[in-house]
Amino acid sequence: EDKVVQSPLSLVVHEGDTVTLNCSYEVTNFRSLLWYKQEKKAPTFLFMLTSSGIEKKSGRLSSILDKKELFSILNITATQTGDSAIYLCAVEGRYGGSQGNLIFGKGTKLSVKP
Amino acid sequence: DAGVTQSPTHLIKTRGQQVTLRCSPKSGHDTVSWYQQALGQGPQFIFQYYEEEERQRGNFPDRFSGHQFPNYSSELNVNALLLGDSALYLCASSFRLGYTFGSGTRLTVV
């Protein structure tokens, strides 16, 4: 059965700290791995990763994928209170030659204290 | 450019009733997927619609059904509501690569 496991499930840090969120997966017919930030309702897109070892960066956030060891990490440096949210990791499978569905982990709830 | 629009935002229903949720995809997107997110859990895949047909389905009972219209908008119908159906229902649209999510419909079954 396909599964995505995130750790830790919750994390409390202080402003300025650096955090690393983990995502491991067992998914047949892997197509991509995606990270989303969910503050209230709509998950908002952060990164899509398809190739191993290529770091993607956006401001203070970065992510990398290891397709051999089947995991990804999301790093946030110099955290701010606005980073407080649930971070979701999802893996997209293949459906023939088309997009497959997303398999989500339970999420990591990050709380950043002032 | 409008993103994914879902309606209604909140809904309260009684056990046994039926409910219809609506989704308008992002402009240019032709595929619509529905997810159920229970409190404290990640979203769970319900089904995906493409070219007005259900293309993939997750592990949900037949009480959950859907439809996609020629303009790519979609509906999710849930019959014989159970307390356990209380959740945030998310719609995601896509075109070949990536998914854009709507803000969801919060369904409470009492």
Side-chain angles (χ1 to χ4, degrees), chain A residues 87-98:
Chain A
Y87 290 84
L88 294 167
C89 173
V91 174
E92 179 190 1
R94 290 185 184 274
Y95 181 77
S98 306

Side-chain angles (χ1 to χ4, degrees), chain A residues 2-111:
Chain A
D2 293 340
K3 63 179 180 180
V4 175
V5 178
Q6 292 185 247
S7 65
L9 293 181
S10 65
L11 192 54
V12 180
V13 301
H14 287 93
E15 273 191 318
D17 288 349
T18 293
V19 298
T20 297
L21 309 184
N22 304 294
C23 176
S24 64
Y25 63 92
E26 294 177 26
V27 175
T28 54
N29 299 317
F30 174 92
R31 190 171 190 243
S32 66
L33 185 145
L34 301 95
W35 285 96
Y36 288 88
K37 178 182 182 182
Q38 187 175 31
E39 293 180 83
K40 291 186 177 179
K41 285 189 174 181
T44 54
F45 173 78
L46 295 176
F47 297 109
M48 174 187 286
L49 305 159
T50 57
S51 301
S52 275
I54 300 174
E55 185 182 47
K56 293 210 170 182
K57 295 194 73 171
S58 178
R60 296 176 293 104
L61 278 67
S62 64
S63 184
I64 197 163
L65 172 68
D66 185 329
K67 291 172 72 174
K68 181 180 177 183
E69 300 298 329
L70 307 183
F71 78 90
S72 174
I73 60 173
L74 174 68
N75 284 315
I76 308 174
T77 60
T79 52
Q80 302 171 356
T81 55
D83 295 327
S84 295
I86 295 171
Y87 290 84
L88 294 167
C89 173
V91 174
E92 179 190 1
R94 290 185 184 274
Y95 181 77
S98 306
Q99 282 184 286
N101 59 283
L102 295 178
I103 302 152
F104 282 88
K106 290 187 175 182
T108 294
K109 183 176 181 180
L110 175 64
S111 298

Side-chain angles (χ1 to χ4, degrees), chain A residues 36 38 41 95 99-100 102, chain B residues 35 37 55-56 94 99 103:
Chain A
Y36 288 88
Q38 187 175 31
K41 285 189 174 181
Y95 181 77
Q99 282 184 286
L102 295 178
Chain B
Y35 291 82
Q37 187 176 21
R55 183 163 68 176
Q56 299 176 67
S94 57
Y99 289 87
S103 294

Side-chain angles (χ1 to χ4, degrees), chain B residues 26-86:
Chain B
K26 183 177 179 179
S27 178
H29 286 188
D30 60 1
T31 301
V32 173
S33 303
W34 288 91
Y35 291 82
Q36 180 196 66
Q37 187 176 21
L39 204 58
Q41 301 295 316
Q44 297 289 314
F45 174 67
I46 303 175
F47 43 54
Q48 182 182 85
Y49 276 84
Y50 174 71
E51 292 188 342
E52 302 179 51
E53 291 192 358
E54 183 183 290
R55 183 163 68 176
Q56 299 176 67
R57 189 179 182 92
N59 190 25
F60 278 79
D62 292 345
R63 297 186 298 109
F64 290 77
S65 63
H67 190 77
Q68 186 179 33
F69 300 93
N71 66 352
Y72 306 117
S73 67
S74 178
E75 289 182 347
L76 165 65
N77 301 293
V78 186
N79 294 322
L81 284 167
L82 304 173
L83 295 179
D85 295 331
S86 295

